[in-house]
Amino acid sequence: MGRSGLAKMRSSFRDCPSHAANRGWNDKQAALGLHSIEKRFTVAALSLQQAQQTFIEQFSVSGRMTEESRRSVPGGYSRNSFNFGPHAVFVTRGEGAYIETVDGNRLLDLNNNYTVNVLGHHHPGLTSALMDAIPNGISFGNPGAQEGALARMLIERIPSVEKVQFSCSATESCMTAIRLARATTGRTRIAKFEGGYHGFSDMLQISAHPTPENGGDAAAPVAVPDSGGIPSTNTDNVLVLTQNDLAGTEALLRAHSQELSCLILELQSGAGGMVALDQEFVQMLRDITRELGIVLIFDETISLRAGYHGLQGRYGITPDLTVMGKIIGGGLPLGAVGGSAEIMNALEDGRVTISGTHHGHKLSVVAGAACLTELTEEAFTKLNGHAQRITTELNAWSQGRNSPFRIHGWGFSHLGYAYMTSPGEVVRTHRDYWRLVDGDKTQTISLELANRGYFPVHRGEMSLSLAMSDQDISGLIETLKSIVSDIESESMTKEARPIAHAV
C-alpha cells in the first residue's frame, strides 16, 4: 500500500506516558469479576504513539524474544507478515477462539493465521482425524485414498472445479495455474490487478503494494516488483489493471489480447488491501476473457470461506481455473488448483509437468477433509451472520456520530476496517488506500485491539472463526466503539482497568 495507507509502519517510537491498556471497558466486565481501579485521570485523545508504547509494555516478552530470535532467523521469524507494529506477538497455545501469548495475555484471535483457522484452535474433529492418521505413517512416496477424498469434496462444492491438483501452498498453486494457462493458450503474458496478492513467486509478486511514487497512472498502471530480486523480464510479462474500472480494464484487455495467457484476480483482495469487485465488473471480465480466449483464474485462497460454494458461488460467475488454499488444509500447509477437465487434463497428458515432494501430503489432506466436513451450509450461515452483525452495527454507529471509521469488504467472515480521511468514504480500488485511508489512525486501532484483548491482522483485517460466540462478537463491537471514541476525543476522563483477558 502507499505510504499514507495501512502499511505505514513506524520504525521508532517516541517516549510517552503509559496509559491504561484497557480504557473504555464497560461495566459488563465488572460483572465478570474484573474489578476496576477507582482512581480517575485525564489523558489526551488516543494517539499512535500511546498505542505503540502500551503495546511495547504489554507484549514486552514477545519483544525480547524477537530480538533473541534475530540472532538465528532474519528479522526474528520466517514470515515478515508476523510484524505487528514494533514486533510480532509470540504465542504458547490456542484453544477455541482464543490464543495465549508468552506475555501472559489471552486474546480473541481475529487473525486466525491469516484466515486459515476457520474452526478456531484445537478443534476436536480436526485433532481426532490427525491423531487417527499419524500412527499409520506420516509421509509416503505413494498416493493414498485421502487425496482423492478431499478432491471430491472440493469438486462437489466449487462450481468451476471438475479436477483438482494439490501442492504445499497457494503460492505454488498460483504458479501451476499460470503454467496451465500458458501451456493451453500458447501465450505468455499475465494480467492481474493492482493490489492483488497471489503469493511470493517472481512471476506474481508484482504490484500488490505499489506506491503513489512508482505506480504510474491509474489508466495504465506500471508493473512494480514488490521485492528486490525480481527480474524486469517478469514485470514486463505482467499487465496491471485497476480494480472496478470497467471501461479502462476492457480497453487494456482488448489491446493486449494476443499476448495474454490469463487474467488472475481475487474477488475480494486481501494482502494488498481489502477491495471487493463489483458484480457487473466481474461479469464483464468473464465475458471478455471468454471472447478473447484468455484463461480466467479466480484466486480464492482466502475467499473460499465466503460460503459453501466459495465467493464465486455467491457471485454466480464461473472461472476457468480456481486457486484454493488456507482453509482447505485445516491448518496444515496445502494449496490446490482446480478447474475444467479440458484445462486440467494438461497435467495428465504431459503438456504440463508439476511435481513436489510434499504435494498432496497425507496429513494435510486428512486435516483438510476434516475441516470441510465441519463447514456445512449452517456453519457458513453462522460465520457470515457474525460478519454481517459486525458490519451493520459498527457502520451504523459510525455513521450516526459522523465518524470516518468504517468496516468494509464483501460482507463474509473476512472483514476489513479502516479509519478514513473523512466520513462516508468507500474503498473501491487499491489506490483508494493511498488517498482515503488514515494509516496512522488505522494502525492505532490495530495496536489498541491487541492492547485490549483482541488480535487482528495488523493491516486492518479481521478473520472470524466458528469457535466465536455471540458474546465474543458483542465484546469486539463494544471495544472497537471504545477505541474509535478514544481516538476522536479531545480529552478523556477514564477509569484505569485491568489487562484484557489476562492469564
Side-chain angles (χ1 to χ4, degrees):
M1 300 173 194
R3 293 187 309 176
S4 60
L6 272 66
K8 184 177 180 183
M9 308 296 283
R10 305 297 191 188
S11 60
S12 62
F13 308 97
R14 297 204 302 264
D15 291 335
C16 63
S18 62
H19 63 294
N22 303 285
R23 70 170 68 77
W25 274 29
N26 57 35
D27 291 337
K28 293 178 182 177
Q29 278 68 43
L32 296 175
L34 301 174
H35 303 292
S36 64
I37 299 171
E38 292 302 322
K39 183 178 179 181
R40 298 173 69 84
F41 61 96
T42 300
V43 296
L46 176 62
S47 68
L48 175 59
Q49 289 72 30
Q50 287 177 304
Q52 287 170 337
Q53 185 62 32
T54 299
F55 180 90
I56 290 169
E57 294 169 0
Q58 193 159 317
F59 296 95
S60 59
V61 179
S62 289
R64 290 197 296 273
M65 289 183 69
T66 297
E67 292 306 312
E68 292 168 3
S69 186
R70 281 192 174 122
R71 299 169 188 166
S72 51
V73 182
Y77 18 82
S78 293
R79 290 166 67 181
N80 59 19
S81 60
F82 281 158
N83 285 329
F84 199 96
H87 52 73
V89 173
F90 283 72
V91 301
T92 56
R93 68 186 299 268
E95 185 69 35
Y98 288 83
I99 55 174
E100 295 175 11
T101 80
V102 295
D103 318 275
N105 298 316
R106 182 171 180 258
L107 311 176
L108 184 72
D109 192 358
L110 297 167
N111 179 301
N112 282 303
N113 194 12
Y114 294 83
T115 78
V116 169
N117 298 323
V118 66
L119 304 182
H121 300 279
H122 195 201
H123 187 277
L126 202 156
T127 302
S128 176
L130 286 170
M131 295 306 293
D132 288 345
I134 288 172
N136 296 322
I138 292 174
S139 180
F140 299 96
N142 314 83
Q146 301 92 341
E147 181 178 4
L150 179 58
R152 288 188 293 273
M153 294 177 79
L154 293 170
I155 291 166
E156 185 269 328
R157 289 170 181 245
I158 310 305
S160 64
V161 175
E162 295 177 344
K163 290 190 175 182
V164 181
Q165 192 253 20
F166 293 103
S167 68
C168 296
S169 68
T171 289
E172 290 177 76
S173 287
C174 283
M175 295 166 65
T176 299
I178 299 300
R179 187 175 293 182
L180 280 166
R182 286 172 165 170
T184 55
T185 63
R187 305 170 190 167
T188 302
R189 295 193 74 196
I190 303 161
K192 71 174 294 289
F193 285 98
E194 208 168 49
Y197 180 74
H198 307 286
F200 61 84
S201 69
D202 283 4
M203 70 176 75
L204 286 171
Q205 195 176 358
I206 292 168
S207 291
H209 304 285
T211 68
E213 291 76 19
N214 64 18
D217 192 290
V222 174
V224 180
D226 290 320
S227 170
I230 296 177
S232 59
T233 51
N234 289 90
T235 54
D236 292 344
N237 268 326
V238 174
L239 174 68
V240 181
L241 309 168
T242 297
Q243 294 151 319
N244 291 317
D245 178 6
L246 268 166
T249 297
E250 179 175 357
L252 284 170
L253 290 174
R254 289 192 182 280
H256 297 273
S257 62
Q258 296 305 307
E259 311 160 3
L260 291 173
S261 64
C262 62
L263 166 60
I264 186 169
L265 61 89
E266 297 171 285
L267 294 167
Q268 175 179 277
S269 55
M274 193 171 289
V275 177
L277 299 184
D278 296 339
Q279 178 80 27
E280 179 187 11
F281 184 69
V282 179
Q283 187 60 63
M284 179 275 290
L285 297 175
R286 174 64 286 183
D287 293 342
I288 193 172
T289 52
R290 183 178 287 121
E291 174 192 340
L292 300 175
I294 299 168
V295 175
L296 180 61
I297 306 168
F298 286 177
D299 184 349
E300 290 231 51
T301 300
I302 293 174
S303 62
L304 210 66
R305 63 162 39 230
Y308 192 83
H309 304 294
L311 192 50
Q312 64 188 261
R314 301 184 72 173
Y315 274 85
I317 298 172
T318 304
D320 300 303
L321 294 173
T322 297
V323 174
M324 297 163 279
K326 305 290 189 184
I327 66 171
I328 69 165
L332 274 65
L334 191 65
V337 59
S340 69
E342 180 183 2
I343 294 178
M344 294 297 293
N345 282 342
L347 290 161
E348 188 171 341
D349 63 22
R351 284 176 290 161
V352 174
T353 302
I354 302 285
S355 186
T357 300
H358 295 296
H359 285 189
H361 191 281
K362 170 190 166 180
L363 296 186
S364 294
V365 295
V366 165
C371 181
L372 290 188
T373 298
E374 300 294 331
L375 290 176
T376 61
E377 295 273 16
E378 293 74 21
F380 284 111
T381 297
K382 177 184 175 182
L383 277 169
N384 293 331
H386 283 330
Q388 289 160 13
R389 181 185 168 202
I390 292 167
T391 303
T392 301
E393 291 190 21
L394 281 169
N395 282 347
W397 173 83
S398 185
Q399 184 177 6
R401 60 188 278 122
N402 198 34
S403 169
F405 176 73
R406 182 175 180 84
I407 301 291
H408 61 102
W410 205 90
F412 63 94
S413 61
H414 180 222
L415 299 170
Y417 61 86
Y419 199 94
M420 313 301 286
T421 53
S422 61
E425 299 285 7
V426 179
V427 172
R428 298 195 69 253
T429 76
H430 173 76
R431 293 181 181 226
D432 287 339
Y433 279 97
W434 307 348
R435 303 183 299 107
L436 304 177
V437 172
D438 186 319
D440 281 0
K441 286 187 171 65
T442 301
Q443 190 185 350
T444 301
I445 293 169
S446 296
L447 289 164
E448 259 324 274
L449 278 168
N451 293 340
R452 303 185 193 200
Y454 299 84
F455 188 67
V457 176
H458 63 90
R459 58 186 175 238
E461 298 170 30
M462 300 181 289
S463 179
L464 310 183
S465 74
L466 274 173
M468 293 178 183
S469 66
D470 290 340
Q471 185 178 7
D472 291 328
I473 301 302
S474 296
L476 169 63
I477 290 170
E478 293 307 312
T479 299
L480 277 166
K481 288 179 181 178
S482 176
I483 293 170
V484 173
S485 296
D486 289 353
I487 289 172
E488 293 173 350
S489 296
E490 289 297 324
S491 63
M492 303 173 298
T493 302
K494 296 288 176 185
E495 293 182 3
R497 301 280 185 173
I499 292 176
H501 308 308
V503 295

